[in-house]
């Protein structure tokens, strides 16, 4: 990521009083403008060195008690914050609280204390055991390792009198700059005190990004040069442009904040359905995982569900959920959007979303392995039972859901899936997440009724860059012109076949990129419920011809950063 002063690239040195303000650039995640002094998380917790003197046998019961008390204090604080939070934040906080109370962790610690290891050292060793286990499992499970380390640090800090680690609650509204944040730290942020967030690491699909989006907290990730900005210095964070301006001009800063406030007010008035300024209709739908999420999406004025991620409800299940259990969950979502469009995705198990009952263990390369629709190769019954459950939920709610398969690579896979879906009276579609599927979109459309582009995976497979890697976030950036070219090819195939082509990856949550996608010929956008109003109202400010002009500018750009800049120039004149 680049560091610029005004429009010219510079080093990372802080500016002198006379120079133009220094502008650091990163990947924009949540739009909005925040100005305030920099606050930073407290320093890393000092972990105890191994080799400490053993605890005398008589003192071991008390040492165990000390651990239990520290873990309970940590769990209690997190649970209290969870009670005051909602949605993903509440989930992350209560999961982390649950880890602090985890019986497996406790018994691993107690065993060590029984052998004479001091509580803090025992906590570090036992936590490492779990970190190794989660890391070996890979994918989303590997992200749990971050939660375990976070809990370990909190407990060790209590045991060694270092005070609670994490983000201090600033006295005045401040902008938080950090290397990266533990999910529980992000979820516990008070948006009245922390008004903006920038991190040096992380990508658009990281936990930090997802929670910031839910909190509506202006956020930029993967910002170079952030380490050199000291606490207390005033910064202006622009979550749409993806910039952090150090010591901005106060007049300019006030104007930018005011413009953002006016834009936020416009959002509050959004009630859908979305059209461009000249009346071209574009469905703005929501990505959900269950009935509660669907009801939140109704409240956010989503026109329907563009992606029901069915696997997320079963991540913790050891065995396949029954047809009845599945049908009840799906019916909950269909009911929330009765009479409206709901697109359900069959289990996308594997890689970053391993399901114990569906995923092959020990794959050398899970992202290129048996994931998504491919799990039906060895276990077609799993797919058939899920489709039976969808059909049953549809019957109960008198709805006709659209059903799509993830990770489809060939037309024959699409044909086989479509036959199974049609046999149950449902509407078949497939996701475009693999470049081969985009290249053969015409052939896929001979079998299915719609396509939905998963830009998160399509970018990882097009750019050959792991979507979970913060270091490669510039490559998996959804503004990459090569990715947008595949989007255009797919949309054109849809136009030729007279069938709808949507986008349901994170790209659809970016209001500027949404205009580009519409200009490329996309007919629906599906994003987090919190992003619906931003996307829908931005579309209302541009006409279709301008969206097409923006799309042409993005396709012609050299890289993601210049695509963003070119489109901003077309759409905002800046
Ligand atoms: C995608 O890949 O863009 C997508 C929507 O699916 P997921 O993020 O669940 O893999
Ligand atoms: Mg995907």
């Amino acid at each position: 990521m680049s560091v610029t002063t005004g429009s010219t690239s510079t080093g990372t040195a802080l500016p002198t009083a006379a120079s133009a303000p220094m502008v650091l650039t990163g990947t924009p995640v949540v739009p909005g403008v925040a100005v305030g002094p920099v606050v930073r998380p407290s320093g890393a917790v000092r972990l105890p060195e191994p080799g400490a003197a053993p605890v005398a046998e008589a003192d071991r019961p008390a040492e165990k008690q000390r651990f239990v008390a520290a873990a309970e204090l940590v769990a209690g604080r997190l649970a209290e914050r969870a009670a005051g939070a909602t949605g993903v934040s509440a989930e992350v906080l209560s999961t982390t609280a649950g880890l602090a109370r985890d019986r497996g962790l406790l018994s691993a610690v107690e065993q060590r204390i029984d052998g004479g290891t001091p509580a803090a050292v025992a906590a570090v060793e036992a936590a490492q055991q779990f970190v190794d286990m989660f890391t070996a499992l890979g994918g989303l499970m590997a992200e749990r390792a971050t939660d375990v380390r976070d809990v370990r640090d909190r407990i060790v800090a209590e045991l060694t009198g270092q005070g609670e680690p994490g983000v201090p609650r600033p006295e005045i509204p401040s902008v938080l700059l950090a290397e990266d944040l533990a999910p529980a730290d992000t979820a516990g942020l008070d948006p009245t005190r922390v008004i903006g967030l920038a991190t040096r690491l992380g990508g658009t699909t990281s936990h930090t990004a997802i929670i910031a989006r839910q909190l509506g907290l202006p956020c930029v990730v993967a910002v170079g040069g952030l380490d050199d900005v000291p606490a207390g210095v005033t910064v202006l964070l622009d979550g749409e442009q993806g910039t952090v301006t150090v010591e901005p001009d106060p007049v300019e800063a006030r104007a930018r904040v005011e413009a953002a406030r006016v834009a936020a007010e416009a959002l509050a008035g959004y009630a859908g359905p979305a059209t461009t300024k000249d009346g071209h209709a574009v469905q703005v739908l929501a990505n959900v995982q269950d009935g509660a999420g669907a009801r939140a999406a109704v409240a956010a004025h989503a026109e329907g569900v563009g992606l029901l991620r069915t696997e997320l409800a079963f991540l913790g299940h050891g065995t396949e959920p029954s047809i009845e259990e599945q049908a009840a969950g799906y019916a909950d979502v269909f009911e929330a959007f009765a009479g409206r469009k709901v697109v359900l995705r069959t289990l996308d198990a594997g890689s970053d979303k391993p399901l114990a009952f569906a995923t092959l263990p020990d794959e050398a390369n899970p992202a290129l392995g048996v994931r998504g629709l491919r799990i039906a190769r060895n276990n077609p019954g799993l797919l058939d039972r899920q489709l039976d459950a969808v059909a049953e939920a549809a019957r109960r709610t008198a709805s006709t859901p659209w059903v799509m398969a993830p990770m489809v690579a060939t037309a024959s896979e699409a044909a086989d899936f479509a036959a199974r879906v049609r046999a149950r009276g449902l509407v078949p579609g497939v996701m475009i997440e693999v470049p081969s599927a985009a290249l053969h979109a015409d052939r896929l459309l001979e079998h299915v009724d719609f396509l939905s582009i998963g830009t998160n995976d399509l970018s990882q497979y097009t750019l050959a860059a792991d979507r979970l890697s913060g270091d490669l976030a510039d490559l998996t950036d959804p503004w990459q012109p090569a990715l947008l070219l595949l989007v255009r090819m797919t949309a054109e195939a849809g136009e030729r076949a007279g069938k709808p082509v949507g986008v349901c990856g994170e790209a659809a949550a970016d209001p500027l990129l949404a205009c580009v996608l519409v200009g490329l010929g996309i007919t629906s956008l599906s994003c987090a419920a919190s992003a619906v109003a931003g996307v829908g109202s931005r579309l209302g400010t541009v006409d279709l011809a301008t969206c097409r002009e923006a799309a042409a500018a993005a396709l012609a750009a050299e890289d993601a950063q210049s695509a963003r800049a070119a489109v901003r120039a077309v759409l905002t004149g800046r």
Side-chain angles (χ1 to χ4, degrees):
M1 292 300 144
S2 60
V3 178
T4 54
T5 297
S7 56
T8 355
S9 217
T10 74
T12 54
L14 282 172
T16 60
S19 64
M22 183 171 72
V23 183
L24 310 176
T25 7
T27 307
V29 171
V30 183
V33 173
V35 180
V38 169
V39 64
R40 286 188 171 274
S42 53
V45 172
R46 288 182 309 283
L47 298 178
E49 298 292 332
V55 181
E57 197 156 352
D59 296 336
R60 290 175 194 169
E63 190 68 353
K64 285 198 259 184
Q65 267 315 310
R66 248 173 33 85
F67 175 82
V68 171
E72 190 42 45
L73 192 72
V74 166
R77 274 192 204 129
L78 291 167
E80 196 182 307
R81 281 180 213 157
T86 54
V88 187
S89 300
E91 271 168 39
V92 167
L93 286 164
S94 50
T95 306
T96 317
L99 273 178
R101 290 191 174 118
D102 187 82
R103 298 219 56 78
L105 180 67
L106 176 65
S107 80
V109 169
E110 287 187 332
Q111 263 176 23
R112 286 173 169 82
I113 300 178
D114 282 336
T117 309
V121 180
V124 171
E125 290 177 2
Q128 192 57 42
Q129 183 182 323
F130 285 90
V131 166
D132 292 344
M133 186 186 86
F134 285 131
T135 309
L137 284 171
L140 272 191
M141 286 295 149
E143 290 208 3
R144 296 293 299 277
T146 314
D147 299 336
V148 177
R149 285 194 201 94
D150 181 36
V151 160
R152 172 200 67 191
D153 290 357
R154 289 169 191 274
I155 296 176
V156 168
E158 281 311 318
L159 287 167
T160 54
Q162 295 184 57
E164 191 185 3
V167 182
R169 191 163 186 270
E171 292 299 318
I172 53 169
S174 303
V175 177
L176 177 62
L177 304 188
E179 177 80 355
D180 200 1
L181 284 181
D185 280 337
T186 317
L189 292 178
D190 173 354
T192 63
R193 297 298 176 92
V194 172
I195 54 171
L197 168 63
T199 61
R200 193 179 71 75
L201 300 175
T204 48
T205 52
S206 66
H207 256 126
T208 305
I210 290 167
I211 297 167
R213 201 170 284 124
Q214 196 219 327
L215 292 172
L217 193 64
C219 175
V220 188
V221 298
V223 186
L226 214 54
D227 296 347
D228 300 322
V229 186
V233 163
T234 299
V235 292
L236 181 151
L237 179 145
D238 188 324
E240 183 168 309
Q241 295 201 12
T243 54
V244 176
T245 307
V246 183
E247 298 191 314
D249 172 58
V251 178
E252 153 102 16
R254 266 197 300 279
R256 299 259 295 269
V257 170
E258 178 56 14
R261 193 189 59 73
V262 171
E265 259 177 29
L267 288 196
Y270 177 78
T275 64
T276 58
K277 199 166 148 190
D278 53 339
H280 173 73
V282 181
Q283 287 179 326
V284 181
L285 311 160
N287 293 350
V288 307
Q289 69 178 71
D290 54 22
R295 286 183 284 279
V298 172
H301 303 289
E303 287 167 56
V305 170
L307 171 63
L308 168 55
R309 287 184 163 106
T310 56
E311 66 285 347
L312 294 188
F314 306 122
L315 276 182
H317 281 48
T319 53
E320 181 185 340
S322 66
I323 291 182
E324 175 49 39
E325 185 183 349
Q326 294 189 53
Y330 306 151
D332 204 15
V333 176
F334 300 165
E335 258 162 18
F337 277 99
R340 288 187 274 174
K341 175 169 165 181
V342 176
V343 184
L344 176 147
R345 176 175 74 187
T346 55
L347 293 173
D348 186 20
S351 188
D352 57 335
K353 291 167 288 219
L355 290 183
F357 58 88
T359 313
L360 291 188
D362 303 331
E363 281 189 294
N365 206 340
L368 300 180
V370 181
R371 61 163 297 201
L373 180 66
R374 299 169 183 186
I375 58 174
R377 291 171 174 234
N378 302 326
N379 191 354
L382 183 62
L383 174 61
D384 283 332
R385 286 186 292 279
Q386 183 176 27
L387 293 177
D388 287 343
V390 179
E392 172 56 21
R395 191 193 58 73
R396 278 184 209 166
T397 54
S399 45
T400 312
W402 295 17
V403 185
M404 64 184 181
M407 278 296 286
V408 170
T410 67
S412 58
E413 286 175 351
D416 176 76
F417 179 76
R420 290 170 199 262
V421 173
R422 286 195 208 285
R424 292 165 172 85
L426 305 167
V427 179
V430 291
M431 288 189 75
I432 302 293
E433 301 186 284
V434 181
S436 62
L439 295 168
H440 274 176
D442 285 309
R443 298 189 192 180
L444 269 58
L445 281 167
E446 288 171 16
H447 306 288
V448 296
D449 293 351
F450 70 97
L451 300 176
S452 180
I453 306 176
T455 46
N456 306 337
D457 276 313
L458 189 56
S459 66
Q460 99 161 330
Y461 297 123
T462 303
L463 279 296
D466 184 345
R467 63 188 271 186
L468 295 179
S469 165
D471 291 335
L472 301 178
D474 59 319
L475 292 179
T476 48
D477 189 323
W479 284 84
Q480 281 290 350
L483 172 72
L484 298 176
L485 184 58
L486 289 178
V487 171
R488 184 176 73 171
M489 290 172 66
T490 309
E492 284 176 347
E495 277 162 19
R496 282 191 291 273
K499 294 183 179 178
V501 177
V503 167
C504 63
E506 290 300 309
D510 175 339
L512 278 193
L513 189 47
C515 299
V516 171
L517 296 173
V518 169
L520 291 171
I522 290 302
T523 57
S524 69
L525 300 160
S526 190
C527 54
S530 57
V532 164
V535 169
S537 45
R538 168 66 87 160
L539 289 175
T541 65
V542 281
D543 55 30
L544 185 57
T546 311
C547 289
R548 290 188 175 136
E549 199 188 322
L555 286 171
E558 289 276 306
D559 55 29
Q561 288 290 358
S562 33
R564 254 190 204 95
V567 167
R568 194 171 299 120
V570 172
L571 295 181
T572 69
R574 281 196 268 130

